[in-house]
Amino acid sequence: MGSEPALEEEDLSPAEDPDADPLGGRVPAGRGAVLTRRGITLRVLLKDGLIEPGDSVLSIHYLGKRFVGDLLCDGKIRWVETGQLFNSPSAWATHCKKLINPAKKSGCGWASVKYRGQKLVQYKTSWLHKYQPAAETGLVSEGEEEELGEEEEEEEEGSRKTGSKSQLEPGKRESSPPEKRGERTECVPVRYHTLGSRDSGRDPHTLVELTAFSAINRFQPFNVAMSSNVLLLLDFHCHLTRSEVVGYLGGRWDTNTQLLTVLRAFPCRSRLADRDSAPAVEEEICQNLFMRGLSLVGWYHSHPFSPPHPSLQDIDSQMDYQLKLQGSSNGFQPCLGLLCGPYSLGNQGLQSKITPFCVVPPPEQRPNDYGIPVEVEVSSVQDAFLTSDVLHEMMLLVEFYKWAPDLVCFTEPWNQEITFLDKLKGSLNGHAPKDQAYSQILEYVYNQLLTGQG
């Protein structure tokens, strides 16, 4: 995706000159000649007073996502999210829809874009009714009927869509899970191909097996290298509580090598009941990212007693995050999701299963389907030592959860042979730095964690 949107037929001379005839001639002064629907532009509607320029007066709703644009005096559209300029509704709609669904061929601009809540195509009709009532019948542009039908179908799908509306920015995302799953209840994931079209009656916590890129005839479009300290910190966070947790990932994206490097985990120390504190927690994370010269590159999330497969809600959240990161830059930037199942009953080993994934939009011919959760291959880079930053974050997490009612009781048995504390230690050893002195540091952390547990 480049920064310059592809021009469509609508973006040519009629968009630059509202008096230009789409067939190449000139429309005489007044309204004596017939102007086709394709010749009617935003500048025409502005000139004749049917609409007025303004900030955030334009909007697009597509598959549950919302985009907002400013209408400028010259008839161009400025996307509020990035400041990019577009010559026509179709150019803007196509660009936005391709962010969600790269296979999208066109944007159905006049049927997709709304001005103050009303579709622009209705303003076209109003203009014709006012200035050329005799020519109104039969002036639908080639393909416009199809576009209107497709847009109505997609809009209906968007209104049915459920799932997270959160964004990867301060104050927009709940820092705690939407709902606690049944503890010690093993959820069995379903295969993606069994889902079919979206169903508002389906449980949003339904787990879905990951699909391989090869299974959908694709290659992984980027490589990922992840610090072992990132895995250690997020694994520690996920082990502490019987409730789900969430956090963000900081790193760097190299467009030349197509390498995403994940260097830091940022746990969210807040809960579902602490919605008022979530903006402050996330603002602190954003400041930490900025101070370290890092970019937001993803997120992590736990399923304490369930397999680390994404739920339907996780799939929608990941799609939102991918859109957010891609929409904030001039080109493609990946967003990595990580799921951790620290106490999954199906995992008999000590080390947690951590699953990296992203989501591929459904095929264009099946716009009502869920996004396809795809497994991402990640290379782990072993750190030389446990950094002071990671240790500091661990102690903050201990203080946050130490007296919480949902803190895991680490002295209790996880299975017949070992305790929850042994499980935690065994899992973190799998992310051990090269310097073995870390074990003494972690023993201090464990002792603090056991305070008051007997």
Side-chain angles (χ1 to χ4, degrees), residues 309-326:
H309 295 281
S311 66
L312 295 177
Q313 189 166 14
D314 295 334
I315 292 171
D316 284 343
S317 294
Q318 176 66 16
M319 278 294 295
D320 283 341
Y321 301 159
Q322 289 175 188
L323 174 63
K324 180 64 182 177
L325 289 190
Q326 292 176 12

Side-chain angles (χ1 to χ4, degrees), residues 100-144:
I100 301 173
N101 183 4
K104 185 71 176 171
K105 297 293 191 301
S106 65
C108 313
W110 288 80
S112 300
V113 180
K114 293 183 178 181
Y115 172 79
R116 300 190 185 277
Q118 186 173 358
K119 292 180 180 179
L120 283 176
V121 71
Q122 295 172 288
Y123 289 92
K124 267 190 178 183
T125 302
S126 297
W127 187 96
L128 286 167
H129 181 74
K130 182 176 182 179
Y131 292 109
Q132 296 180 352
E136 185 175 348
T137 304
L139 287 181
V140 177
S141 300
E142 181 181 355
E144 188 171 278

Side-chain angles (χ1 to χ4, degrees), residues 8 10-11 77 88-95 106-110 113 147:
E8 301 184 6
E10 188 178 8
D11 300 320
I77 298 170
S88 74
S90 291
W92 183 42
T94 299
H95 181 81
S106 65
C108 313
W110 288 80
V113 180
E147 290 186 351

Side-chain angles (χ1 to χ4, degrees), residues 3 7 54 94 103 197 205 247 252 257 270 301 304 364 375 380 382-383 405 434:
S3 59
L7 292 177
T94 299
S197 297
H205 297 132
R252 298 188 178 94
T257 61
S270 57
H301 172 52
E364 184 176 6
E375 187 169 10
S380 178
Q382 190 178 34
D383 287 296
K434 295 177 181 178

